[in-house]
């Protein structure tokens, strides 16, 4: 059963379920709610505290479900509303909370609102829910401004109707942006929050939390830097605008009206930890993913700078940090760590193309990174398959690629499908117990990566995660709190957490000794002659 700690989210380890690729219960090759229900014992046994489930709403699937046509229903491919209710109940019985994914920046172009907008003339209330504008140029045949889509190409599409107006879509054309200055939009999203909270959902992950508010007049981007990639960005016309915080203050009021209060985690790509901390002030959201940590290279100075800045700025607003290594939008960290490390962030598969990698090295570093992440103050997220040591699938056939980035980039960017390949569960050949088939092909080499193959095997990724999560839950020093750095040699991280816990991470090229008097609790690789090898981490018992 669930714990009754109202502050559970401050220390929680939450498992991300990319529903299409987690487990298939219906036999159609696509993951679904039945598949999640069948694997709840596995997740409870892993030792996580909650699940975050990617969108399960009705959708034409132009962007993997992030083009929502009805926010208060379930996509039939995934199941029914009754199935969803049963999953929430059963997850709670296993001691697991459930967070859903909210997509407030845009809807599907098949949403009833957008279809009504297309059917009404300029200036109508229906159109005012979205960002329709007249085009530039003598015939209005040029986009209203120079904004670009995240997926490539212009962020504007001209509607086919007689008005010839353009609509904004910061993502795919099938994902028109909502106008968050419209009170009807704000009220409807709050109704969606209450719809799911009334069904005992414990919270939401907020998609593109930094993108709801656009600058008045929709000015040209010009040479404004993108805050998702640059620390120079300031007053960007559509990312991380200050007025977005008014939205989250109203949502916090809704969440706090429930008993127990519901929680939020933000996907907010911003310029620095100080900007990120603004999203988790006491009257706004509860937590926010730390993407600076995700993108930090496997270099001790870079990791320490990121950790220090995050903890400092979160402490100012009294919020816990939220650490993450991978998710459904970035290349898996095994493959990122398999490449040479430098100050250039490795984020997407596109960053890895043409750069030779060593997956054995990547897995050693990923195992060490897991112990580092789970030892840091605050909460953490585990992306499905991370606990199995899965790598990015970099060689999917062109004809199976489904990410809109592939088409929008004119087949120059392979997109995010490589981190979304269905999980292997058992057996020695695809589909590895995922179902009777899998919607994306799985590598032949994944037979050794299944839970069936790793369970009970000393030194396996799965057993490392199980041991770490068990120890993390039981040890009084871990979870929310503070850390103290201890002296260490170059490219080695060493910190203490009270009472009596230490974490040692060796990012150097030579083995290092444990601190004097330390007792080993857990390590990502066996010690050799009492020394911690390169690209390894250890949890220690230290005298206070």
């Amino acid at each position: 059963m669930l714990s009754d700690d109202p502050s559970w989210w401050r220390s929680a380890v939450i498992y991300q379920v990319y529903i299409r690729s987690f487990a298939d219960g219906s036999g159609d090759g696509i993951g679904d709610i039945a598949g999640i229900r069948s694997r709840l014992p596995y997740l409870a046994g892993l030792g996580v505290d909650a699940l975050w489930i990617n969108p399960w709403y009705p959708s034409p699937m132009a962007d993997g479900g992030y083009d929502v046509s009805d926010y208060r229903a379930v996509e039939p491919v995934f199941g029914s509303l009754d199935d969803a209710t049963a999953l929430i109940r059963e997850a709670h019985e296993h001691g697991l909370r459930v967070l859903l994914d909210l997509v407030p920046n845009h809807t599907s172009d098949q949403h009833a609102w957008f279809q009504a907008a297309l059917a009404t003339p300029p200036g109508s209330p229906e159109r005012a829910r979205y960002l329709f504008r007249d085009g530039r140029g003598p015939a209005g045949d040029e986009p209203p401004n120079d904004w670009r889509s995240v997926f490539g190409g212009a962020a504007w599409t001209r509607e086919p109707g007689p008005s010839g107006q353009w609509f904004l879509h910061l993502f795919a054309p099938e994902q028109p942006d909502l106008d968050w200055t419209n009170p009807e939009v704000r009220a409807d999203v709050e109704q969606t929050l209450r719809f799911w909270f009334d069904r005992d959902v414990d919270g939401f992950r907020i998609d593109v939390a930094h993108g709801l508010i656009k600058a008045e007049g929709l000015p040209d981007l010009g040479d404004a830097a993108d805050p998702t990639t640059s620390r120079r960005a300031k007053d960007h016309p559509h990312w991380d605008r200050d007025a977005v915080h008014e939205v989250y203050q109203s949502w916090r009021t809704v969440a706090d009206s429930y008993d127990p209060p519901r929680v939020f985690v933000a996907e907010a790509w911003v310029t620095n930890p100080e900007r990120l901390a603004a999203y988790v002030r006491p009257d706004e959201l509860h937590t926010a993913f730390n993407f600076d940590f995700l993108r930090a290279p496997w270099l001790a100075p870079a990791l320490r700078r990121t950790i220090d800045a995050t903890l400092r700025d979160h402490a100012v607003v009294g919020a816990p940090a939220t650490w993450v290594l991978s998710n459904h939008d970035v290349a898996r960290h095994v493959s990122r760590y398999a490449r040479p490390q430098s100050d250039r962030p490795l984020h997407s598969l596109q960053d890895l193309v043409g750069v030779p990698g060593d997956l054995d090295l990547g897995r050693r570093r990923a195992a060490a990174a897991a112990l580092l992440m789970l030892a840091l103050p605050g909460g953490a997220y585990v992306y499905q398959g991370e606990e199995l040591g899965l790598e990015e699938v970099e060689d999917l056939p062109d004809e199976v690629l489904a990410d809109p980035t592939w088409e929008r980039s004119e087949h120059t960017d392979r997109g995010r499908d490589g981190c979304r390949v269905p999980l292997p569960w058992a057996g020695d050949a695809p589909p590895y117990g995922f179902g009777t088939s899998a919607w994306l092909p799985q590598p032949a080499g994944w037979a050794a990566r299944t839970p069936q193959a790793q369970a009970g095997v000393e030194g396996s990724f799965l057993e490392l995660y199980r041991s770490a999560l068990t120890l993390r839950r039981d040890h009084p020093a871990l979870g929310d709190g503070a850390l103290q750095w201890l002296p260490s040699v170059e490219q080695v991280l060493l910190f203490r957490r009270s009472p009596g816990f230490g974490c040692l991470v060796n990012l150097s090229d030579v083995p290092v000794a444990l601190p004097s008097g330390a007792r080993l609790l857990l390590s990502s690789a066996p010690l050799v002659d009492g020394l911690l090898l390169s690209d390894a981490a250890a949890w220690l018992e230290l005298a206070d």
Side-chain angles (χ1 to χ4, degrees), residues 33 54-59 61 65 68-85 100-101 111 191-192 195-196 199 204:
I33 293 174
N54 288 91
W56 62 13
Y57 316 109
S59 169
M61 299 295 166
V68 179
S69 57
D70 185 348
Y71 289 84
R72 298 191 280 274
V74 171
E75 165 60 43
V77 170
F78 299 144
S80 67
L81 187 57
D82 286 344
D83 295 331
T85 302
L100 301 185
D101 211 318
H111 191 285
Q191 185 179 348
T192 292
F195 177 88
W196 291 107
R199 284 158 180 79
F204 280 98

Side-chain angles (χ1 to χ4, degrees), residues 42-298:
Y42 168 83
L43 295 173
L46 183 61
V48 296
D49 301 293
L51 316 179
W52 153 36
I53 303 172
N54 288 91
W56 62 13
Y57 316 109
S59 169
M61 299 295 166
D63 181 25
Y66 282 90
D67 48 318
V68 179
S69 57
D70 185 348
Y71 289 84
R72 298 191 280 274
V74 171
E75 165 60 43
V77 170
F78 299 144
S80 67
L81 187 57
D82 286 344
D83 295 331
T85 302
L87 168 61
I88 296 163
R89 183 186 68 251
E90 292 168 9
H92 288 172
E93 291 170 354
H94 281 86
L96 299 167
R97 290 179 168 85
V98 177
L99 278 65
L100 301 185
D101 211 318
L102 184 66
V103 189
N105 180 71
H106 48 263
T107 71
S108 166
D109 62 352
Q110 300 304 305
H111 191 285
W113 274 11
F114 193 72
Q115 290 299 302
L118 293 178
T120 53
S124 68
E126 290 81 3
R127 286 188 173 234
R129 298 163 176 159
Y130 294 90
L131 290 159
F132 282 89
R133 295 293 186 272
D134 293 332
R136 296 195 287 199
D141 55 1
E142 297 175 14
N145 65 27
D146 65 354
W147 295 3
R148 305 292 292 174
S149 163
V150 172
F151 294 150
W156 295 91
T157 290
R158 199 171 194 182
E159 64 162 310
S163 79
Q165 283 197 311
W166 298 70
F167 64 87
L168 177 69
H169 53 86
L170 291 178
F171 294 85
E174 297 87 353
Q175 296 168 289
D177 279 46
L178 291 162
D179 185 346
W180 272 86
T181 66
N182 187 322
E184 188 178 4
V185 170
R186 298 193 179 206
D188 190 76
V189 173
E190 290 192 11
Q191 185 179 348
T192 292
L193 295 177
R194 293 186 184 279
F195 177 88
W196 291 107
F197 289 161
D198 289 344
R199 284 158 180 79
D200 287 336
V201 164
D202 300 283
F204 280 98
R205 175 261 190 184
I206 304 165
D207 184 60
V208 196
H210 57 296
L212 306 189
I213 302 298
K214 282 71 175 177
E216 185 176 356
L218 307 184
D220 277 343
L221 183 62
D223 61 356
D226 184 342
T228 67
T229 59
S230 172
R231 297 200 180 280
R232 297 187 299 106
K234 184 178 181 182
D235 196 31
H236 193 279
H238 61 72
W239 293 142
D240 189 31
R241 299 194 60 78
D242 289 340
V244 77
H245 297 286
E246 299 170 10
V247 175
Y248 301 135
Q249 288 167 349
S250 69
W251 290 10
R252 182 62 177 258
T253 300
V254 174
D256 285 350
S257 71
Y258 284 80
D259 184 18
R262 308 310 199 235
V263 303
F264 298 110
V265 59
E267 180 207 26
W269 293 89
V270 297
T271 55
N272 56 57
E274 184 179 7
R275 293 294 298 182
L276 185 65
Y279 287 80
V280 291
R281 289 176 287 201
D283 62 343
E284 294 191 37
L285 306 176
H286 299 75
T287 58
F289 296 125
N290 185 345
F291 294 127
D292 281 352
F293 181 74
L294 181 152
R295 294 192 294 184
W298 187 247

